[in-house]
Structure formats: structure tokens, C-alpha cells
Amino acid sequence: QVQLVESGGGLVQAGGSLRLSCEASGRTLNLYALAWFRQAPGKGREFVAVYGRSGGTTSYADSVKGRFTISRDNAKNTVDLLMDSLKPEDAAIYYCAAAYDIFKATPTRPSDYAYWGQGSQVTVSS
């Protein structure tokens, strides 16, 4: 019922910034938490940041806290991830995901999310 499309990935030098955007489509999107995950080559998918359903809160992985900012525009049905002070270890495919959870305001496990985008590549050079 929910479709997610990421955009904004690309190549950036270490220390630079990049903004990712995810456009969501579907009904009752206000009931879903929207999050960003990432997966580097040879590694599992890891939580990055989440913006809870409308009126919810945000949460960040320790590795990106203070550098990344997640925002949500409910009118446009989009969720953005502003990445500052990028490091080579931030390079990965970034995925947008949506979750409906009546118990958790900010779910952080991949298994919490039923809907996923196709991913957007972020490359960080030294």
C-alpha cells in the first residue's frame, strides 16, 4: 500500500554535505513512521534515523547523531536526510522505509518496517 522512492544520492568529498529525499505514496501515510537505513558492501542493513508518524519524535543512530538531520514534510509526503560532515564510513546504499507501529513512536529495527524504497547510493571520497 506504500511506495517509497529515494533521490539525492551521489558522490561527495569527506567533510561535505548531501541531502537525500524520499517521496512516499499511499493512503494514511500519516500513520506511518518514516526512517532511513543504510547498507555498506558486505555489511548488514543498519538503522540511521527515524521520524515518527505525524506528531511523533525523532531518533538517530549514535554513529550519525550530531551530523545527520531527519525532517518530514507531511504535506508533501516526503522525508529528507541532511547529512553533514560526511565520512568515508558513511558510504552506503541508503534506504527509505515506512512502518506502522501503534506501540513504538520511533522503531529502529529493519524488521519493524514493511515498506522499503529501492535505495540511493552515497559515495564519500577521502
Side-chain angles (χ1 to χ4, degrees):
Q1 292 184 323
V2 177
Q3 185 175 7
L4 305 167
V5 180
E6 302 96 336
S7 63
L11 173 65
V12 64
Q13 289 188 321
S17 300
L18 197 65
R19 182 185 291 272
L20 300 179
S21 183
C22 173
E23 182 176 354
S25 61
R27 303 179 70 86
T28 63
L29 288 172
N30 59 305
L31 301 178
Y32 290 81
L34 298 178
W36 288 96
F37 290 79
R38 66 186 182 186
Q39 187 166 16
K43 302 180 68 176
R45 191 162 300 185
E46 66 171 333
F47 167 77
V48 176
V50 58
Y51 200 115
R53 64 195 70 183
S54 296
T57 58
T58 60
S59 183
Y60 297 87
D62 290 340
S63 60
V64 306
K65 192 174 187 297
R67 298 188 299 118
F68 291 10
T69 303
I70 189 170
S71 61
R72 182 169 179 170
D73 188 330
N74 292 316
K76 297 180 179 180
N77 291 326
T78 59
V79 60
D80 286 7
L81 183 69
L82 175 60
M83 303 179 290
D84 291 326
S85 302
L86 282 163
K87 305 175 181 179
E89 50 263 43
D90 293 320
I93 298 176
Y94 282 71
Y95 297 90
C96 181
Y100 179 81
D101 194 320
I102 63 174
F103 301 108
K104 298 179 180 179
T106 54
T108 60
R109 300 174 300 176
S111 59
D112 292 327
Y113 291 81
Y115 302 97
W116 296 83
Q118 81 287 349
S120 183
Q121 179 70 53
V122 173
T123 303
V124 184
S125 64
S126 300

